[in-house]
Amino acid sequence: MHKSVRQSMAWLHSWLGLSFGWLLFAIFLTGAVTYYRHEITMWMQPQFASMQVNQDTAVKTAYQYLQQHAADAQHWYIGVAHPAAPVNKIYWQTPDGHYEMRTLDASTGRELTLSATQGGDFFYNFHFQLYGLPYTIGRLMVTIAAFIMLITLISGIITHKKILTDFFTLRTFKGQRSYLDFHNVSSVIALPFFLTITFTGLAIFFYIILPSGMKKVYPEHPFQYFEDIQTVNGSAISTAPVKSNMLPVQHFTTTVQQHWGKTEFESITVKQPNTQLAQITFTELKDHSITRNQAQLTFNATTGKLLKNTRNDSAIATLNAGVYGLHMARFADPVLRLALFFSGLLGCAMIASGLLLWSLKRQMQKKSVRFHLGYYLVNRLNISIILGLPLAMLGYLYANRLINIPAGAPNYEIYSFFIIWIGSFMLACLMPQQHLWKTQLKVLMGAAFMLPLIDMYYLVSQHDIDSFKSYWPFLRIDLMLWLLALLAYFLHQNIHPIQQKAVRKIQTKLKTVQQGSSS
Amino acid sequence: MIWITVTGLIWLACFGFYTVSEKQIIKTRTSRYALLSAFPVLVKLTSGIILCMVMWLLSAQFSKSISFVALWVLLSPVLFVFILKINHLGKKL
């Protein structure tokens, strides 16, 4: 039987969407949360919130630390403390090629022994390399998922024949029709965001799916590409590095401020420190375009001479930076970031409504009440992803407040995340169909409502807050949690559990069929 | 302030497109916005110009590239709330 293009696309859309929907939901939700990863990290490390940042002091103390502890290193990197991340993060490459990393107090330059929490970085890493899997496998899976997402979006556009006519249509509380409308509306209104984020996500990992080009140009060190795409090699210097004293860092910060005015730094790097070849580069924190081209200034660190710009400004490098810039949106100010976060959540809503629609449609088409393993599994996986993942994320935050993890200890927060996620799936498997949604929604609502209260108690008891200003970094996350609790309440009260609805319709249908055959 | 203005203008543009949309224009003819339904092309054009104005306003705050991205990003939440509002979600609760 020949199918039309639209029918074929609908088939492709629904089956690809189902196969990868759960993974894509997890990637979208953790990605949306990643827009606030620094804020989550601060929430999870309350001692950060009270730290005052003076970048001049932060730069000076980090520079001094590196001079004392890594004077003979090949390379220094200072992630300069700023209000969103008020500690200095430093890395250096030892003469034998290994990397060392430290977190320093920005005011005193003391090494900080922080708890083993990963904060918001856990969601960030999960988003693009799926925590727990080897990096290559995780990234490959995410890349394949992005590719599938792109196909699903395009096939969805072809399938949805009335994009403009039905642009504003959302028939609420009308069963299957409402799910389809909601799926369409959530997809169409943020379509530019979905296409951009999916394509850029795919393009970032181009070297995983199309490695041959990089291998051909860089047969021995493929990852040299990443160095070349960012910086232009100056004239090759053949002289061997000779020990030489570098100028004090204040000399450079003063010169940089003469060029840029009063500004904040994102990072400072020093190549071949304490030699006559030492180059120090300052990068500005604020990003003025989508191509991650924050202002940069490079000096010879021993003579203080301003060197020419080493940034690679070629078209392909700008395109590469644009791909990263658009995906990570580091240019976004708070309001824009909130809108991006909302668009990410809309992506989750689109995927969730698509998954639920698939499930509902199949149950409506089913003509018997016989157990069907496929439908059973889809229903259970739906709930353990759509509600189980947010529950697991809450569990991660709960663990932070309830368990103290010393540095170097196993990260029980991450264990809690996965235990709760698996628990949600097991609960869904054991629960009868009619109680599936309401039970987990109740747990989600209760957990999201209680956490801010526990947080407040914790902060007061630990003397981490003494004013509204010091409470605000925590309150903004707590307010989001209360919004999540409200959303769970809304779903619990106003949307009839989808499974119950489907069961009722099937029962009515079966009764009609039975009556028809008996008469 | 700029955000309130931008949100308001996007809302206005959405309203313009909505009143003369294929499905809605028949209802618009009998509503107090009947005048708009007499000039659908002009309404669409005005709504488009309003969106351009939004971009111009955003470019006063950000660079041109960011303001273009910002327009599309900000459209989503405003459109979503707009669609919930015009479909009377509140009344059915």
Side-chain angles (χ1 to χ4, degrees):
Chain A
M1 190 179 76
H2 289 288
K3 283 182 176 177
S4 69
V5 173
R6 192 160 276 144
Q7 280 173 319
S8 305
M9 287 294 143
W11 180 89
L12 187 72
H13 182 79
S14 59
W15 284 101
L16 280 184
L18 178 76
S19 324
F20 282 81
W22 301 300
L23 178 59
L24 284 167
F25 184 90
I27 293 170
F28 257 83
L29 187 58
T30 48
V33 166
T34 296
Y35 285 120
Y36 289 104
R37 74 181 163 123
H38 292 308
E39 285 77 1
I40 293 171
T41 304
M42 199 178 273
W43 190 93
M44 293 178 82
Q45 293 188 316
Q47 65 271 38
F48 279 11
S50 56
M51 289 179 179
Q52 299 296 320
V53 178
N54 177 327
Q55 276 214 329
D56 289 338
T57 315
V59 170
K60 196 174 146 194
T61 54
Y63 196 80
Q64 274 172 358
Y65 182 93
L66 284 164
Q67 281 290 20
Q68 283 169 14
H69 297 88
D72 56 349
Q74 295 182 38
H75 193 98
W76 292 351
Y77 173 90
I78 305 170
V80 186
H82 53 88
V87 286
N88 282 327
K89 291 201 169 163
I90 59 166
Y91 308 81
W92 69 88
Q93 192 181 12
T94 57
D96 57 357
H98 291 98
Y99 282 91
E100 296 269 347
M101 190 193 117
R102 297 282 186 280
T103 305
L104 306 179
D105 186 309
S107 308
T108 61
R110 250 184 331 109
E111 275 182 40
L112 290 171
T113 27
L114 300 167
S115 68
T117 184
Q118 288 194 12
D121 289 344
F122 169 67
F123 299 124
Y124 173 61
N125 291 325
F126 188 97
H127 167 69
F128 72 92
Q129 59 194 17
L130 306 177
Y131 186 89
L133 294 175
Y135 289 166
T136 326
I137 306 284
R139 288 179 187 196
L140 181 66
M141 282 176 69
V142 172
T143 312
I144 293 170
F147 189 57
I148 297 293
M149 177 80 185
L150 199 60
I151 297 174
T152 316
L153 282 173
I154 294 167
S155 58
I157 294 168
I158 298 168
T159 309
H160 186 21
K161 52 187 170 188
K162 292 179 181 169
I163 285 191
L164 292 178
T165 315
D166 284 343
F167 195 86
F168 295 102
T169 308
L170 178 62
R171 285 155 287 192
T172 45
F173 303 100
K174 287 204 169 80
Q176 189 189 334
R177 169 55 57 190
S178 302
Y179 285 98
L180 182 62
D181 280 353
F182 186 77
H183 182 64
N184 289 341
V185 162
S186 55
S187 318
V188 171
I189 61 173
L191 192 59
F193 171 80
F194 298 145
L195 286 171
T196 310
I197 217 76
T198 309
F199 180 74
T200 52
L202 193 57
I204 285 172
F205 287 141
F206 80 94
Y207 58 90
I208 292 180
I209 39 173
L210 299 168
S212 54
M214 218 154 89
K215 278 185 183 156
K216 194 175 176 186
V217 182
Y218 304 100
E220 293 191 1
H221 302 289
F223 288 92
Q224 176 67 27
Y225 161 82
F226 295 104
E227 176 71 20
D228 288 356
I229 202 78
Q230 284 174 15
T231 49
V232 181
N233 281 332
S235 52
I237 301 161
S238 55
T239 48
V242 178
K243 288 274 171 208
S244 177
N245 285 335
M246 297 197 297
L247 293 170
V249 74
Q250 292 92 321
H251 169 82
F252 300 108
T253 49
T254 313
T255 317
V256 169
Q257 280 169 4
Q258 281 167 2
H259 281 83
W260 294 342
K262 188 74 186 160
T263 188
E264 287 183 312
F265 303 119
E266 183 197 63
S267 64
I268 298 170
T269 55
V270 185
K271 283 181 184 171
Q272 297 182 291
N274 296 313
T275 68
Q276 90 284 15
L277 305 176
Q279 282 186 6
I280 185 165
T281 303
F282 289 78
T283 306
E284 197 183 10
L285 181 65
K286 191 154 173 57
D287 200 349
H288 299 279
S289 100
I290 57 169
T291 51
R292 294 205 316 168
N293 64 348
Q294 297 113 298
Q296 261 185 13
L297 282 175
T298 304
F299 301 89
N300 180 310
T302 48
T303 62
K305 188 184 161 200
L306 180 62
L307 303 174
K308 70 171 187 176
N309 185 13
T310 53
R311 183 197 297 283
N312 187 345
D313 284 327
S314 69
I316 194 73
T318 309
L319 180 69
N320 175 74
V323 162
Y324 275 89
L326 275 173
H327 195 88
M328 294 176 182
R330 291 182 57 187
F331 55 82
D333 76 345
V335 177
L336 209 50
R337 213 142 45 100
L338 190 64
L340 283 160
F341 173 69
F342 180 84
S343 299
L345 293 185
L346 216 52
C348 297
M350 170 188 72
I351 297 165
S353 56
L355 286 168
L356 295 175
L357 186 63
W358 188 97
S359 180
L360 183 66
K361 261 173 113 171
R362 296 311 177 285
Q363 291 201 38
M364 304 274 274
Q365 287 162 3
K366 211 170 88 170
K367 290 189 174 64
S368 73
V369 283
R370 267 183 31 217
F371 176 78
H372 190 292
L373 182 67
Y375 298 158
Y376 172 86
L377 263 181
V378 168
N379 283 333
R380 267 60 189 182
L381 281 169
N382 277 351
I383 198 154
S384 50
I385 292 290
I386 297 167
L387 297 181
L389 180 58
L391 266 173
M393 291 163 94
L394 280 176
Y396 178 72
L397 299 179
Y398 263 101
N400 176 266
R401 286 296 183 256
L402 301 176
I403 309 166
N404 184 31
I405 310 169
N411 196 328
Y412 294 109
E413 291 165 7
I414 295 175
Y415 289 170
S416 310
F417 174 86
F418 285 108
I419 289 168
I420 290 172
W421 203 359
I422 294 167
S424 161
F425 177 66
M426 288 171 69
L427 185 69
C429 288
L430 298 173
M431 196 57 70
Q433 188 120 331
Q434 61 270 31
H435 299 306
L436 262 180
W437 287 88
K438 285 219 164 181
T439 311
Q440 297 218 13
L441 274 169
K442 277 189 186 109
V443 178
L444 181 65
M445 190 168 46
F449 180 74
M450 287 304 292
L451 186 53
L453 303 179
I454 292 171
D455 175 44
M456 195 188 288
Y457 173 76
Y458 175 88
L459 294 171
V460 171
S461 63
Q462 298 288 317
H463 308 290
D464 284 320
I465 50 170
D466 51 14
S467 62
F468 182 78
K469 196 183 165 195
S470 60
Y471 181 41
W472 174 244
F474 306 97
L475 184 62
R476 58 192 177 182
I477 303 281
D478 292 346
L479 288 174
M480 285 288 180
L481 293 173
W482 273 329
L483 278 178
L484 174 67
L486 266 178
L487 177 69
Y489 178 74
F490 171 83
L491 292 174
H492 183 272
Q493 294 300 109
N494 294 302
I495 312 280
H496 293 295
I498 189 168
Q499 311 295 358
Q500 256 179 307
K501 234 179 174 180
V503 167
R504 261 206 310 275
K505 285 207 173 181
I506 293 160
Q507 281 170 348
T508 321
K509 203 172 169 183
L510 283 174
K511 265 184 204 164
T512 321
V513 172
Q514 279 166 2
Q515 279 167 2
S517 59
S518 62
S519 63
Chain B
M1 188 62 196
I2 191 168
W3 294 116
I4 298 168
T5 316
V6 160
T7 309
L9 285 173
I10 293 177
W11 187 278
L12 198 65
C14 291
F15 183 74
F17 282 123
Y18 169 65
T19 50
V20 295
S21 65
E22 206 178 319
K23 274 190 169 177
Q24 185 61 25
I25 195 160
I26 303 160
K27 288 181 194 162
T28 308
R29 281 187 193 128
T30 55
S31 73
R32 57 182 163 151
Y33 303 107
L35 182 70
L36 297 179
S37 63
F39 309 99
V41 177
L42 196 64
V43 173
K44 282 179 192 169
L45 190 71
T46 313
S47 300
I49 291 169
I50 290 174
L51 288 181
C52 292
M53 273 172 61
V54 169
M55 218 180 96
W56 177 76
L57 268 177
L58 286 169
S59 66
Q61 178 97 349
F62 310 110
S63 68
K64 280 190 182 115
S65 59
I66 296 179
S67 57
F68 181 73
V69 174
L71 171 68
W72 291 104
V73 171
L74 286 169
L75 256 174
S76 308
V78 178
L79 249 175
F80 186 72
V81 177
F82 180 79
I83 289 174
L84 291 184
K85 175 93 178 77
I86 57 169
N87 285 288
H88 309 293
L89 182 72
K91 281 184 188 170
K92 288 177 188 170
L93 295 181

